[in-house]
Amino acid sequence: MKLLIINGPNLNLLGKREPTIYGNETFEMYFDTLKQKFQHLELHYFQSNIEGEIIDKLHEVGFDFDGIILNAAAYTHTSVGIGDAVKAIQTPVVEVHISNIHAREEFRHHSFIAPNAKGIIVGFGLKGYELAIQSFV
Ligand code: DQA
């Protein structure tokens, strides 16, 4: 089973960025743990701060992979383009947020991805990515 985790803008700074909200671990460290835990799966990781690159990646894998785990970060709340790409592809997408976006500022409550996501996992920290993987297996 081929799964891709896509992280959007500023998530390359995990470990350094607002640790009280996002924790102290880098995503690279956490991704190593995930690969150890799910050795029977083909896990891939992509991060970009650029909206179009995230859309291109969704197009690239979205007719081939078995699942996509997408934390579009701030683009979640602004990007019609990423929302449309999630709708356009065939691979199911699980939306993940590290923090509980519904307990934060109002502008974080809306998601352009949610209407076309297979499911949504918010507020469980990095563990949300593991829960999303489990939802596919
Ligand atoms: C986030 C929540 C977003 O509102 C924010 O812009 C992020 C991270 C999360 O994982 O909690 O960058 O997607």
Side-chain angles (χ1 to χ4, degrees), residues 27-102:
F27 198 82
E28 287 69 21
M29 279 164 59
Y30 179 67
F31 188 58
D32 280 344
T33 314
L34 286 178
K35 282 192 291 189
Q36 287 296 319
K37 238 179 212 171
F38 297 99
Q39 287 179 23
H40 56 296
L41 301 177
E42 203 184 303
L43 284 184
H44 297 259
Y45 174 53
F46 176 76
Q47 191 277 330
S48 176
N49 295 320
I50 300 167
E51 187 176 11
E53 287 186 358
I54 295 170
I55 293 171
D56 283 345
K57 185 54 82 174
L58 288 166
H59 294 177
E60 185 188 315
V61 306
F63 297 87
D64 176 31
F65 275 47
D66 302 293
I68 296 170
I69 294 154
L70 174 61
N71 184 348
Y75 288 143
T76 306
H77 320 299
T78 62
S79 179
V80 174
I82 293 177
D84 280 355
V86 168
K87 194 171 184 181
I89 61 177
Q90 280 168 4
T91 300
V93 173
V94 170
E95 177 179 350
V96 168
H97 298 284
I98 297 164
S99 63
N100 179 356
I101 53 174
H102 298 289

